[in-house]
Amino acid sequence: KAPSSLPLEKGIDSITTYEMKTWFALGQKDISITLMGLDNNSTFFEGALLATDSYDDSDTITVSSAFAKKLNLNVGDSIVLKDNSRDKEYDFKVGKIYSYEAAMAVFMPQIELNRIIEAGDDYYNCLLSSKAINIDSSLLIKKISRSDYLGASNQMLDSFSTVITFV
């Protein structure tokens, strides 16, 4: 985590990410879900959050379309997310489905996710930018460039192309 006093340029999103699990009945197993705590002015996930007053009930979340499809979720449905590292379960209500196929994800206000994971209000553990960020490398755990991301995506498509063709 970079210090919260780190000056961030416009166009850089500082977000909180966290992993929880949920039960996937069709596969009879727990699956990983990425929780993303966003600021209302997110550049990369514009429109992912509900209107601010919709979060008065802190149990209301937005889910990615990939997550909604996999678990057959609709607005108004309930979902239980398990935090295995803290041995806690959280009951949430789907308030919105956000068109995002890249991940099984839950979106919520950053301050709410920070509260759930018992972090400070100004905590973040991920920076998103469409250009290189000038930051001390000792503050980074992992740097993923666009070419890294595309390379991994292409490798996955190559690996599963025969499966996709036959389905």
Side-chain angles (χ1 to χ4, degrees), residues 103-116:
M104 303 273 290
V106 165
F107 304 93
M108 64 178 57
Q110 188 170 28
I111 197 164
E112 180 61 24
L113 180 54
N114 289 354
R115 183 192 61 76
I116 289 170

Side-chain angles (χ1 to χ4, degrees), residues 42-109:
S42 174
T43 304
F44 291 87
F45 297 102
E46 187 176 346
L49 297 179
L50 294 165
T52 305
D53 59 351
S54 299
Y55 288 101
D56 288 342
D57 287 333
S58 60
D59 66 342
T60 303
I61 57 172
T62 298
V63 299
S64 67
S65 50
F67 185 24
K69 286 177 190 171
K70 180 125 184 164
L71 271 69
N72 196 26
L73 294 171
N74 295 295
V75 171
D77 288 350
S78 294
I79 186 82
V80 175
L81 298 181
K82 295 178 264 187
D83 183 348
N84 291 337
S85 64
R86 290 182 170 78
D87 197 28
K88 292 184 179 180
E89 288 189 355
Y90 300 91
D91 295 310
F92 291 105
K93 181 176 73 177
V94 177
K96 181 177 184 176
I97 298 173
Y98 179 67
S99 180
Y100 186 67
E101 294 293 324
M104 303 273 290
V106 165
F107 304 93
M108 64 178 57

Side-chain angles (χ1 to χ4, degrees), residues 146-163:
R146 185 180 199 293
S147 60
D148 294 336
Y149 182 79
L150 291 174
S153 299
N154 288 334
Q155 182 180 3
M156 185 179 75
L157 286 173
D158 288 345
S159 297
F160 291 103
S161 62
T162 55
V163 175

